Amino acid sequence: MFTVDIDPILISFLGFEVRYYGLIYAFGFLLALSFLLYAVKHKQLALTKQQVYDFMFYLILGVVIGARLFHVLFWDFFYYLNNPLKIFYLWEGGLSFHGGLVGGFLVTYFFSKKFKVSLWTLADILVVPAVFGLALGRIANFVNQEILGTITDKPWCVRFLRADPENCRHPIQLYAAFGRFFTFFFLLSLKKYKEGFVFWMFILLISLGRVFLDFIREDFLYFYLRVGQWFSLVLLVVTLIVLFRGYREDLRRLLHFS
């Protein structure tokens, strides 16, 4: 058994707080920016640096707004209905992966149309730093003592003193972080596949992880599953259809069946 009591605030000065959670999100977007600039430099994207900066500005807005909106609507709707100002307290956590995915994808889609660049090339580039940022995000959830696992007596269970000092729980945040770091290195290894294949593999692996891990997540059940599991199942079905219809040769290559 391990005990966690980490202060989520890294620095506090004159009422201004710097939290691990916010720093990790900022790092994730900077990492995405560096990947895009690298792609421009090596002629993988027909964009200027200024267009990349403009895209990142709107991408950040799309991801954050989408992530927060989904969290408010599908996870804690009545809490935010009674505390509407709390909707803007992003530093306290509460950003939905699925909402961020929808918001980010919509921004990427409209940007690709406006500047006539490949949507799937952009998506393939972005998901690699994104999954690394998501892994760090789960570590931030661990520090914030949120997204708790179910109660267990496993020897590696964790007591979160700020969230639930009485019980020992699965460190589900660390399980998810490990899976996402694995996904990051796996996606990096995918070379010379059809456009969009890296993106859809990202969706496949992240969705599988959520479906299985959320069984040991302390969260409300809706028809026997968590909200995240329902969203992930929808993504999983869509992804499998897309992969088998449009990427059969790439799947054969990946599985060494060719």
Side-chain angles (χ1 to χ4, degrees):
M1 180 182 73
F2 301 90
T3 299
V4 172
D5 188 23
I6 305 171
D7 189 343
I9 301 171
L10 177 62
I11 301 172
S12 181
F13 181 72
L14 297 177
F16 178 75
E17 296 177 348
V18 177
R19 294 176 176 249
Y20 293 102
Y21 194 83
L23 283 177
I24 283 173
Y25 266 86
F27 174 78
F29 285 119
L30 286 174
L31 188 63
L33 176 62
S34 69
F35 269 66
L36 288 170
L37 291 174
Y38 179 88
V40 168
K41 181 179 179 180
H42 290 82
K43 311 300 182 183
Q44 297 169 8
L45 277 177
L47 294 172
T48 66
K49 287 185 178 180
Q50 187 57 52
Q51 288 171 336
V52 170
Y53 293 136
D54 292 341
F55 171 55
M56 280 304 304
F57 173 77
Y58 290 109
L59 183 67
I60 291 169
L61 288 180
V63 169
V64 173
I65 292 172
R68 192 58 167 178
L69 186 61
F70 266 55
H71 178 77
V72 170
L73 291 177
F74 299 110
W75 269 266
D76 287 304
F77 177 74
F78 291 106
Y79 170 77
Y80 290 107
L81 187 64
N82 293 320
N83 303 274
L85 288 179
K86 285 285 188 178
I87 293 173
F88 303 100
Y89 286 29
L90 299 178
W91 55 88
E92 293 184 355
L95 296 174
S96 161
F97 160 73
H98 297 94
L101 177 66
V102 171
F105 187 83
L106 288 175
V107 169
T108 304
Y109 173 79
F110 287 115
F111 182 87
S112 69
K113 292 298 181 184
K114 180 177 180 179
F115 292 98
K116 296 181 174 58
V117 294
S118 168
L119 167 64
W120 300 117
T121 297
L122 271 175
D124 284 347
I125 293 169
L126 285 171
V127 294
V128 179
V131 76
F132 190 86
L134 288 168
L136 294 179
R138 279 296 184 249
I139 295 175
N141 295 140
F142 183 81
V143 171
N144 279 3
Q145 301 186 42
E146 59 191 0
I147 308 181
L148 300 179
T150 52
I151 297 170
T152 182
D153 59 358
K154 299 295 184 185
W156 59 84
C157 70
V158 175
R159 280 198 310 130
F160 296 95
L161 294 187
R162 294 170 185 258
D164 182 16
E166 302 299 323
N167 296 299
C168 206
R169 297 176 174 274
H170 280 287
I172 188 173
Q173 313 97 323
L174 300 184
Y175 301 163
F178 176 82
R180 291 171 180 191
F181 282 129
F182 168 82
T183 302
F184 169 74
F185 289 108
F186 172 73
L187 295 181
L188 274 181
S189 73
L190 298 179
K191 306 294 183 183
K192 298 181 180 179
Y193 285 87
K194 183 179 176 181
E195 283 186 334
F197 185 70
V198 173
F199 171 79
W200 289 110
M201 290 305 298
F202 161 79
I203 299 295
L204 176 70
L205 293 173
I206 289 291
S207 299
L208 282 172
R210 283 298 300 269
V211 168
F212 286 108
L213 271 184
D214 278 16
F215 281 113
I216 54 172
R217 175 172 171 165
E218 191 71 42
D219 206 351
F220 294 108
L221 288 171
Y222 297 89
F223 302 102
Y224 307 104
L225 294 175
R226 273 74 175 174
V227 175
Q229 288 176 302
W230 284 115
F231 282 130
S232 296
L233 281 172
V234 171
L235 284 178
L236 197 55
V237 170
V238 171
T239 300
L240 290 173
I241 291 172
V242 171
L243 285 173
F244 283 109
R245 285 188 173 183
Y247 297 91
R248 288 188 182 182
E249 292 302 319
D250 297 284
L251 288 173
R252 290 192 185 100
R253 266 187 63 202
L254 184 64
L255 299 173
H256 302 291
F257 287 163
S258 57

